[in-house]
Amino acid sequence: MEDNMELNQAGFDAIAQKLKQLYPKQDGIFYRSIIPYMLGGNDPLDGVEIWKSETGVPHWHYVTYGYSELYEKECEDPAVSGYGFEMTFRLKCGKEEQPPVWPVNLLQNLARYVFSSGNVFGVGHYIDGNGPIALETDTKLTALGFCMDEELREMDTPNGHVIFLQAIGITSDEMEAFMCWDGKKFLEEMSKYSPFGITDLFRSSYMDNPNFYEAWKQGMEQDGSSTGFLYLDEVGAPLDKGRAYLRLGAGHDQILNRMLRARVGKGRNLYLQGTEDVVQFLPGEPHISMGDGVLSLTMPKEILEEICYVLTSHTGTYPLSDYPLTIELVPTRIVDQDGNVLRTIE
């Protein structure tokens, strides 16, 4: 098996050659998976190669091998190699002489998600890390956005086309703002302050920058949101005798308010997924229905505005005036990893 791989690694060699062209005066550091995934190993990627870049500010450039077809062609689509991408990550250099290893683990974790779920990432997508992207560091970056790697971009290999998709560290409030606008445009705006999408673990949120915030606000109001799905754990949505009852955690009011305006307010649907219940918000004439376990709330602009107004309230029960919907806002408890309540939002 190993001999066959050595004899036919055209996809692998194509990526290696492209990287050598970008960094002709150095040798990359390659972290190879000890046990191949196909033989029961835990790491889906064959490996991650790391290069030292002086582009923009000095940083480490991590590039994966394994989302695309590195060896034999197996995917039925001849135009696309494997999942159609490899992933990159750029980390601002500190005082270290050798590249940190944690981004290698981060990239392998992302690959585990893709390989196990079949869900692929693309330009303008995001993923919530539910915690610091670098464990045991004092960073505000808890999520990732994805854009095209500005230098590597895309290429054709003997096994099909591959794009180089770059993961960029973002803060929790940036992720919420990202969701409420067009993800691709959000990252393009962010690139004005972080050229080449270099992740700086110790930066503050760009939402605190007045110029960035104003550009985001204008873009959201003009374009609406490209994200049609929102997950919140505290969601209840029964329908009883023609009246719907929507239960929400009070701590999620701001993001849902923004998403409703950026989606339904722009004539688009929004799916709200809870741990058990699903709600679909739609623009149109007033109507409420339940089908296949999904509560559908169709509403004109005036009802949307009333819902958004209610979402700014404190905990309590709020029946809408001219629409058969009652909204209940319940306390949201913020807990640590051990389940201890840190604070309660009411």
Side-chain angles (χ1 to χ4, degrees), residues 176 230 232-234 247-257 311-315 328-334 343-346:
E176 291 187 357
L230 177 63
L232 300 176
D233 50 2
E234 297 173 277
R247 187 182 72 256
L248 300 166
H252 307 308
D253 52 353
Q254 189 175 56
I255 179 62
L256 181 55
N257 193 320
L311 291 175
T312 64
S313 307
H314 294 290
T315 55
E328 181 185 6
L329 299 180
V330 299
T332 295
R333 293 175 175 81
I334 308 299
R343 65 190 180 100
T344 300
I345 302 174
E346 298 183 348

Side-chain angles (χ1 to χ4, degrees), residues 163-176:
I163 71 168
F164 289 90
L165 193 65
Q166 183 176 333
I168 301 175
I170 57 178
T171 64
S172 59
D173 60 339
E174 288 168 355
M175 185 194 73
E176 291 187 357

Side-chain angles (χ1 to χ4, degrees), residues 98-274:
Q98 294 294 316
V101 178
W102 67 262
V104 175
N105 298 324
L106 174 70
L107 292 168
Q108 288 285 8
N109 284 334
L110 291 171
R112 290 187 189 96
Y113 167 76
V114 172
F115 278 62
S116 62
S117 69
N119 298 326
V120 298
F121 298 112
V123 173
H125 291 186
Y126 72 92
I127 187 170
D128 188 356
N130 295 311
I133 62 171
L135 299 178
E136 299 179 1
T137 61
D138 186 21
T139 181
K140 296 179 180 179
L141 307 181
T142 59
L144 297 168
F146 298 95
C147 67
M148 183 88 77
D149 189 296
E150 288 188 46
E151 291 188 299
L152 294 175
R153 299 195 65 80
E154 52 191 323
M155 66 180 296
D156 289 316
T157 76
N159 290 332
H161 195 70
V162 176
I163 71 168
F164 289 90
L165 193 65
Q166 183 176 333
I168 301 175
I170 57 178
T171 64
S172 59
D173 60 339
E174 288 168 355
M175 185 194 73
E176 291 187 357
F178 184 109
M179 295 164 60
C180 296
W181 190 18
D182 182 289
K184 184 178 179 181
K185 291 182 179 180
F186 185 94
L187 293 176
E188 287 174 352
E189 185 65 29
M190 207 170 89
S191 70
K192 298 176 182 178
Y193 304 86
S194 177
F196 297 96
I198 298 169
T199 293
D200 179 357
L201 285 180
F202 305 107
R203 70 170 177 85
S204 58
S205 171
Y206 291 123
M207 298 302 290
D208 296 333
N209 182 310
N211 294 329
F212 182 90
Y213 182 90
E214 187 60 30
W216 163 76
K217 184 179 179 182
Q218 291 181 6
M220 180 183 64
E221 292 174 351
Q222 176 180 316
D223 304 324
S225 170
S226 60
T227 302
F229 178 91
L230 177 63
Y231 176 82
L232 300 176
D233 50 2
E234 297 173 277
V235 176
L239 180 64
D240 183 27
K241 298 179 181 179
R243 187 168 192 87
Y245 296 84
L246 180 59
R247 187 182 72 256
L248 300 166
H252 307 308
D253 52 353
Q254 189 175 56
I255 179 62
L256 181 55
N257 193 320
R258 286 175 174 172
M259 288 292 288
L260 284 171
R261 293 182 186 277
R263 291 291 300 182
V264 183
K266 296 295 181 180
R268 305 166 189 165
N269 297 357
L270 173 67
Y271 278 90
L272 176 61
Q273 172 75 58

